[in-house]
Amino acid sequence: MSRRERPEQATLPGIADIRIRADEGTTQAVLEVLRREFVITSPRGYSGGRTYLQADVGNPAPDDD
């Protein structure tokens, strides 16, 4: 069976799309670190131990000052 083609997704500077695939304890530990370091969206859990979220890591553009 061949995989279906997916359209290329657009990304925003400084925003990371994150998928975590882990058991609940590991997922919570990773989320704790992400919350401490970044602004993140509410994680969305799916079957199979998958969790999706976005993190705002700040403006990646060099500072002109």
Side-chain angles (χ1 to χ4, degrees):
M1 179 192 308
S2 64
R3 296 182 74 131
R4 65 183 171 94
E5 282 214 24
R6 296 182 183 191
E8 188 172 327
Q9 294 182 341
T11 58
L12 296 172
I15 303 296
D17 291 319
I18 300 171
R19 178 181 75 172
I20 303 168
R21 187 166 182 222
D23 60 75
E24 184 63 25
T26 302
T27 298
Q28 291 308 313
V30 170
L31 290 173
E32 182 180 321
V33 171
L34 289 171
R35 282 187 185 105
R36 190 169 50 237
E37 298 296 324
F38 305 106
V39 175
I40 66 170
T41 59
S42 296
R44 299 174 310 280
Y46 293 89
S47 63
R50 296 173 297 145
T51 303
Y52 294 89
L53 65 140
Q54 290 181 313
D56 181 346
V57 301
N59 184 351
D63 194 359
D64 291 337
D65 290 343

